[in-house]
């Protein structure tokens, strides 16, 4: 899938609407940041989703993080292959690594998400902040 | 940023995990940072969020108390140790956004605290993939290790709604599930008093994070939430045997 056609949440999930079906995954940036995803837990078909509320979880480096839904609706399909083998997510986050499909009850909620261009700026800012933080820590160590 | 330090008495496994979760949920809605120290009574095995119950069912059926954590990583035997937890907003104040950077920052503080006690600890550059079944059996990246590369402290994290909870165990004595792991009493040749250890760690966290931790307690709302979580979640099979 072309990331330029996707919408992105500030929590790094992407969404793509085909009619009222919304395909959801996590961004390449998130995959990179999470680093070595060891577990992915997805909901069951038929479970409800609520915008910005968790629908699943991932574990990487002893950290469990939540995956948030981009819209209200109901799960109609999950990517069981990713649950069985999280490496698929790392290898192709915008394609084979998709996570869930939601029958959206309000697809207009995706308007709240960022475009690819907006998301690129967002992650650049986030990366800069982290780099500044790292430099500060290194300076502190040097001083110590 | 407002920050408090809670020193709890030894508590039951479900209560300890419930109190940590209450602090995480509280951190989601505010800007307060909470540092908590606690011990376990009875001693118990805590399982990582994604670990399989089937790997530990036999031990549980033989009478070992088992609780499931909200955080990742491998199983930990909590007996003769001090556990710390830190809950606060990530990407704000002294806390970086990335989980790995929080591990690194807090573990650097812990190394400083250990040096105040006379222990030379450093961060491991070990692997960062899937955790071993028993957490202390081998060091992973950012774990605190001592001479010979033996693991002294590891932590695990949970992130939710812009907040993080990180907790980890500092063994005071030998760990029967990880005989190769280091412990404070063996490193120092004495058993330091718990208040001495906590004081050294609080001082190091304050210096490393630029925060001042006032002695505090859970609010009444957090206490109520923790009691409910202990009864309805952490004591129940639905949670403990969820995988």
């Amino acid at each position: 899938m072309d990331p330029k056609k996707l919408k992105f949440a500030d929590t790094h999930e992407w969404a793509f609407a085909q009619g009222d079906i919304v395909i959801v995954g996590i961004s390449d940036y998130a995959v990179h940041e999470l680093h070595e995803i060891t577990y992915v837990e997805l909901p069951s078909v038929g479970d409800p989703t609520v915008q910005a509320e968790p629908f699943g979880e991932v574990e990487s480096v002893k950290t469990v993080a939540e995956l948030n839904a981009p819209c209200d609706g109901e799960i109609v399909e999950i990517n069981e292959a990713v649950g069985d083998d999280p490496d698929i997510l790392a290898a192709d986050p915008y394609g084979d690594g998709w996570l869930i499909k939601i029958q959206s009850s309000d697809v207009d909620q995706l308007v709240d998400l960022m475009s690819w261009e907006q998301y690129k700026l967002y992650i650049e800012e986030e990366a800069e902040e982290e780099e500044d933080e790292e430099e500060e820590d290194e300076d502190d160590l040097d001083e110590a | 940023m407002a920050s408090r330090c809670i020193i709890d008495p030894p508590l039951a496994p479900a209560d300890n995990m419930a109190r940590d979760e209450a602090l995480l949920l509280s951190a989601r809605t505010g800007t307060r940072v909470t540092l908590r120290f606690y011990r376990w009574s009875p001693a118990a095995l805590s399982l990582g969020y994604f670990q399989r119950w089937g790997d530990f069912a036999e031990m549980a059926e033989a009478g070992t108390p088992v609780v499931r954590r909200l955080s990742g990583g491998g199983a930990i035997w909590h007996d003769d140790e001090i556990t710390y937890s830190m809950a606060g907003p990530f990407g704000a104040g002294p806390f970086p956004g990335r989980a790995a950077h929080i591990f690194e920052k807090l573990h650097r503080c812990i190394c400083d605290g250990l040096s105040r006690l006379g222990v030379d600890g450093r961060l491991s550059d070990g692997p960062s993939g899937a955790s071993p079944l028993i957490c202390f059996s081998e060091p992973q990246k950012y774990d605190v290790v001592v001479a010979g590369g033996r693991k002294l402290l590891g932590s695990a994290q949970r992130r939710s709604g812009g907040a993080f909870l990180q907790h980890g165990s500092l063994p005071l004595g030998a760990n029967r599930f990880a005989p190769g792991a280091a412990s404070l009493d063996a490193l120092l040749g004495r058993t330091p008093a718990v208040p001495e250890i906590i004081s050294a760690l609080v001082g190091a966290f304050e210096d490393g994070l630029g925060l001042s931790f006032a002695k505090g307690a859970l609010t009444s709302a957090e206490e109520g939430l923790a009691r409910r979580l202990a009864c309805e979640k952490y004591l129940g099979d639905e949670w403990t045997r969820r995988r």
Side-chain angles (χ1 to χ4, degrees), chain A residues 33 41 57 59 130 133, chain B residues 49 97-98 101 158 242:
Chain A
E33 290 305 300
E41 189 166 87
E57 285 136 341
E59 177 169 335
E130 287 291 323
E133 180 73 35
Chain B
Y49 181 77
R98 293 177 194 164
H101 290 170
R158 174 79 182 206
R242 65 181 293 279

Side-chain angles (χ1 to χ4, degrees), chain A residues 22-108:
Chain A
V22 177
I23 308 171
V24 182
I26 62 172
S27 73
D28 188 36
Y29 176 79
V31 167
H32 175 74
E33 290 305 300
L34 285 166
H35 188 66
E36 292 192 51
I37 296 170
T38 46
Y39 297 101
V40 178
E41 189 166 87
L42 298 176
S44 301
V45 170
D47 284 354
T49 61
V50 176
Q51 188 183 35
E53 292 292 321
F55 68 81
E57 285 136 341
V58 292
E59 177 169 335
S60 67
V61 201
K62 298 196 282 186
T63 299
V64 178
E66 293 167 349
L67 303 164
N68 294 317
C71 59
D72 299 350
E74 183 181 309
I75 305 285
V76 290
E77 194 176 341
I78 62 166
N79 188 352
E80 289 180 10
V82 167
D84 295 338
D85 180 8
D87 287 347
I88 296 170
L89 177 53
D92 190 10
Y94 299 122
D96 290 343
W98 67 275
L99 298 174
I100 56 168
K101 292 183 183 177
I102 300 171
Q103 172 95 50
S104 173
S105 55
D106 182 6
V107 81
D108 288 345

Side-chain angles (χ1 to χ4, degrees), chain B residues 9-31:
Chain B
L11 292 170
D15 290 320
N16 273 332
M17 293 301 91
R19 288 167 86 80
D20 271 0
E21 181 169 355
L23 294 174
L24 170 65
L25 295 174
S26 188
R28 285 174 48 136
T29 55
T31 55

Side-chain angles (χ1 to χ4, degrees), chain B residues 147-209:
Chain B
R150 288 178 305 142
K151 180 170 175 174
L152 178 61
L153 178 136
S155 300
Q157 215 179 103
R158 174 79 182 206
R159 293 154 80 82
S160 176
F164 75 93
L165 165 74
Q166 179 169 312
H167 45 199
S169 298
L170 180 61
L172 305 183
N175 185 326
R176 72 179 169 107
F177 285 96
S183 63
L184 266 191
D185 64 354
L187 289 165
L188 291 171
R190 67 183 178 97
T191 306
V194 169
E196 179 189 353
I197 299 166
I198 290 175
S199 172
L201 292 174
V202 171
F205 279 126
E206 287 187 328
D207 289 348
L209 300 175

Side-chain angles (χ1 to χ4, degrees), chain B residues 142-153:
Chain B
Y142 300 133
D143 283 344
V144 177
V145 295
V146 294
R150 288 178 305 142
K151 180 170 175 174
L152 178 61
L153 178 136

